[in-house]
Amino acid sequence: MENSLLIMVLRTFSAKEMKQFTEFVDSPYFNKNKHLKALTTQLAKLHPNFSPSKANKEKLFTKLFPKTAFRNSTMLNLLSDLYLLAQKFLVCNKPKEGDITEQLWLMDEFYERGLDKHFKKTWEETQTKVAKSHLKDHDYYRNMAFLKQGYSIFQHDKKTNEYIQIAANRQERNEFVVRAAICWLFDVYGEVFNMERHVAIDFPFTFPLLEAMLEETQKEAYQSDSYLQISRAALLIEKNNELADFERLEALYEQHWRELDERMGHNVLVCLRNFCFAHRNVMPELNKKRFELNLKSLERYSLKGHYSYINDAVFINFVKAAMDVKEFEWAENFVNKYSELLHPDRKNGVTDYCRASILFYQQRFEEAVTILAAIEPYNDHTWYFNIKEMLLCCYYELKWDEMFIALLDSYKHTVKNRTDIAEGVRKQLQNYAWLIGRIFKIRTQLPKSAHKLSDLNEQISTRQPNGWSEWFSRKASALTMA
């Protein structure tokens, strides 16, 4: 029972939510089964830990039916029914902000019942509410389209003879539909670019459609739409990788960030930070910009976003961005302050990796090795390779050649044999292995290998080892001077 679907859901409830759920089950509108009410009361006493010694079917059955012999089927049915109620509670308890589904249903009921005055009043109130939204995103335009569509049907059905108004409403509806579609497709294309970059998967997508939308939204009619223009600027960065697009997006963000919801604001900063990271070798000043963008993110948004914990990669990238501008004390303070927001199962590993990274940047390689070697990688290939790559770089720096050779051989075999790695990611990992093996071989065979240095920088630029380009460039320069 400890890992049942019901208990897994109830563990996520806050104390307030558990109390609300108990009241929800007590309501005769949602539930008329007295045994479900009693079961909820018993489970509420065990919240939030639900100790296996107490939250088991036999003991709960005894509480519910003290004079009856245990029947497993009865408990399974009750637990299943309560799980369904928990699902319904989650839907009822937290409607999506900005969602007007209930109002649309209500208007539909008023329309079907011939309650014209009620229909108009609800329509006017809902439209006023939606129109006040600061964020003109896909949800806004979709809601306005539904409202215009509903009122047009109402006018036509009631034969109001307001033909000009009906035509105007339908034209507005069409405009809202187009803008909703553009907003939604911009979001989709943004996800495509993001997945191609981070997961290295090529998506079969119709990019002429993107070109058409980018051209359309350049028109004067769209210039006052801040959400669309910000989305457009973000896509142009992903598509063109031009500094001018970066500067335009940054300017738009600073002008309108208070209008954006947390999700959109966070995504814009991620887009800007990704550009800084990708171009930091060519434009070193972007390291400082990336760090400043992180400071803004901490000031304006929650690190967790709408999730329960901070994403491991986000946490690590905040630390690495600080180290790129030698803000070592800031990085250490960040780790100490925010590590409690990491997932409990990964907190120790992530914080140890970050502390090892700080030591690595400070060239305290032996201390970094001690920490890295003690980290137990959980079952995630990205995490595993992050640790091994830094260890290989440490071994290279320390000239621990035998350990380097053994680990590189293990790394290559793992890259080749793991089945849970996308082929694009596998290629990136193979590029790292090739480059670090190449640079190690050149160093150990100097001076006779000096002629091989000529194409090393070109290989570094071409193969793009994820996150390690700057380190490889420094090592190649050091070998050239040697």
Side-chain angles (χ1 to χ4, degrees):
M1 184 172 167
E2 181 183 3
N3 295 317
S4 69
L5 294 175
L6 173 64
I7 297 302
M8 290 171 70
V9 169
L10 296 183
R11 277 202 184 99
T12 68
F13 284 9
S14 66
K16 180 180 178 181
E17 287 173 327
M18 194 67 218
K19 183 175 183 295
Q20 290 172 333
F21 179 57
T22 303
E23 294 168 351
F24 181 87
V25 176
D26 278 345
S27 168
Y29 183 81
F30 295 107
N31 169 53
K32 294 179 172 63
N33 186 330
K34 65 179 182 179
H35 300 307
L36 286 178
K37 295 179 183 181
L39 176 58
T40 307
T41 300
Q42 292 300 321
L43 288 172
K45 296 176 182 178
L46 305 177
H47 179 269
N49 297 320
F50 298 100
S51 167
S53 62
K54 296 180 180 179
N56 65 68
K57 289 181 286 186
E58 290 81 0
K59 288 192 176 182
L60 288 170
F61 187 92
T62 301
K63 296 279 188 181
L64 301 178
F65 309 100
K67 298 180 180 179
T68 307
F70 175 71
R71 288 199 300 269
N72 189 52
S73 60
T74 300
M75 281 305 299
L76 288 176
N77 288 334
L78 286 172
L79 291 169
S80 177
D81 290 344
L82 192 56
Y83 175 60
L84 293 176
L85 280 174
Q87 293 181 56
K88 188 177 292 187
F89 167 77
L90 288 173
V91 173
C92 295
N93 196 48
K94 197 173 183 180
K96 183 180 176 184
E97 186 177 350
D99 187 16
I100 63 166
T101 302
E102 289 185 12
Q103 288 91 333
L104 291 173
W105 286 343
L106 183 59
M107 287 164 54
D108 189 54
E109 283 297 317
F110 287 152
Y111 173 79
E112 293 290 341
R113 296 167 189 267
L115 298 170
D116 297 357
K117 182 178 179 181
H118 298 73
F119 176 93
K120 287 182 179 180
K121 184 174 186 296
T122 304
W123 183 87
E124 289 168 357
E125 289 175 348
T126 306
Q127 180 174 249
T128 300
K129 176 184 175 183
V130 173
K132 287 181 179 179
S133 172
H134 292 297
L135 188 66
K136 305 294 191 290
D137 60 355
H138 166 262
D139 289 342
Y140 166 81
Y141 289 121
R142 181 202 60 194
N143 288 339
M144 291 300 287
F146 279 139
L147 287 167
K148 293 296 182 183
Q149 171 76 1
Y151 202 74
S152 294
I153 293 172
F154 171 79
Q155 288 177 308
H156 186 272
D157 187 61
K158 298 300 177 182
K159 297 180 173 55
T160 59
N161 296 321
E162 298 174 5
Y163 299 117
I164 295 177
Q165 185 59 49
I166 291 173
N169 278 337
R170 289 184 177 174
Q171 179 59 36
E172 284 187 272
R173 176 206 62 191
N174 295 342
E175 178 67 22
F176 288 135
V177 167
V178 169
R179 294 197 180 218
I182 292 175
C183 285
W184 184 72
L185 284 169
F186 272 0
D187 284 347
V188 170
Y189 276 109
E191 289 181 5
V192 167
F193 282 124
N194 186 57
M195 292 293 285
E196 285 184 334
R197 180 177 60 251
H198 291 294
V199 188
I201 295 176
D202 290 326
F203 286 85
F205 228 75
T206 311
F207 283 96
L209 176 60
L210 173 60
E211 295 288 355
M213 290 193 302
L214 290 172
E215 184 177 348
E216 173 68 18
T217 50
Q218 197 173 9
K219 295 177 180 178
E220 182 64 31
Y222 295 93
Q223 292 304 306
S224 62
D225 193 322
S226 57
Y227 183 92
L228 272 179
Q229 290 305 314
I230 288 171
S231 298
R232 182 178 185 277
L235 281 172
L236 285 172
I237 286 183
E238 299 284 7
K239 177 176 171 289
N240 301 330
N241 265 311
E242 297 288 344
L243 181 61
D245 294 320
F246 171 86
E247 291 172 342
R248 171 166 169 72
L249 178 59
E250 185 181 25
L252 281 169
Y253 170 76
E254 286 303 323
Q255 183 180 355
H256 298 289
W257 71 269
R258 290 179 178 83
E259 303 167 23
L260 306 178
D261 62 7
E262 181 158 332
R263 181 193 66 84
M264 181 64 172
H266 171 76
N267 287 346
V268 172
L269 288 180
V270 168
C271 181
L272 292 170
R273 292 200 301 262
N274 286 341
F275 180 90
C276 293
F277 180 79
H279 296 83
R280 62 196 180 121
N281 292 338
V282 181
M283 295 179 277
E285 65 274 14
L286 290 179
N287 279 325
K288 182 179 179 183
K289 175 64 71 175
R290 179 171 163 236
F291 178 66
E292 291 171 350
L293 290 169
N294 281 346
L295 295 181
K296 286 181 182 177
S297 184
L298 281 175
E299 177 187 337
R300 296 172 181 177
Y301 309 115
S302 165
L303 267 179
K304 296 190 298 183
H306 59 278
Y307 300 104
S308 301
Y309 304 101
I310 301 175
N311 179 277
D312 300 348
V314 170
F315 190 90
I316 291 168
N317 287 334
F318 266 69
V319 173
K320 288 188 173 181
M323 292 185 294
D324 282 337
V325 290
K326 302 189 185 309
E327 289 281 354
F328 300 119
E329 184 178 352
W330 187 95
E332 290 173 358
N333 289 336
F334 174 86
V335 172
N336 292 333
K337 182 175 181 180
Y338 293 103
S339 61
E340 291 301 320
L341 300 179
L342 289 162
H343 192 285
D345 293 344
R346 300 192 289 272
K347 172 188 160 189
N348 292 337
V350 173
T351 53
D352 284 346
Y353 177 82
C354 288
R355 290 190 174 106
S357 299
I358 295 170
L359 293 169
F360 181 86
Y361 273 73
Q362 294 173 324
Q363 300 186 36
R364 295 158 62 184
F365 303 116
E366 289 194 44
E367 294 173 72
V369 167
T370 301
I371 294 177
L372 289 168
I375 298 175
E376 294 185 13
Y378 51 85
N379 190 27
D380 179 275
H381 65 76
T382 303
W383 181 237
Y384 171 87
F385 290 117
N386 280 343
I387 295 169
K388 300 310 177 187
E389 286 167 6
M390 190 178 293
L391 268 174
L392 280 166
C393 291
C394 287
Y395 292 161
Y396 178 93
E397 296 279 8
L398 294 164
K399 297 185 178 179
W400 292 358
D401 294 354
E402 289 185 8
M403 297 180 73
F404 177 93
I405 292 168
L407 181 57
L408 180 58
D409 184 63
S410 171
Y411 180 97
K412 288 178 178 179
H413 280 290
T414 307
V415 171
K416 179 181 178 181
N417 296 326
R418 283 194 71 146
T419 59
D420 59 341
I421 304 175
E423 285 309 307
V425 174
R426 195 185 309 278
K427 184 64 177 175
Q428 290 179 347
L429 298 171
Q430 289 169 340
N431 284 341
Y432 170 88
W434 187 92
L435 280 169
I436 200 161
R438 180 79 164 180
I439 206 167
F440 173 79
K441 189 174 182 179
I442 292 173
R443 192 198 69 189
T444 55
Q445 294 180 358
L446 283 174
K448 68 177 183 179
S449 61
H451 65 282
K452 297 179 181 178
L453 288 167
S454 57
D455 75 329
L456 188 56
N457 282 317
E458 182 180 344
Q459 289 290 342
I460 293 169
S461 176
T462 302
R463 291 178 179 266
Q464 287 289 312
N466 190 29
W468 291 102
S469 295
E470 186 179 358
W471 182 84
F472 277 115
S473 296
R474 288 203 313 271
K475 297 304 109 180
S477 298
L479 289 178
T480 302
M481 289 186 288

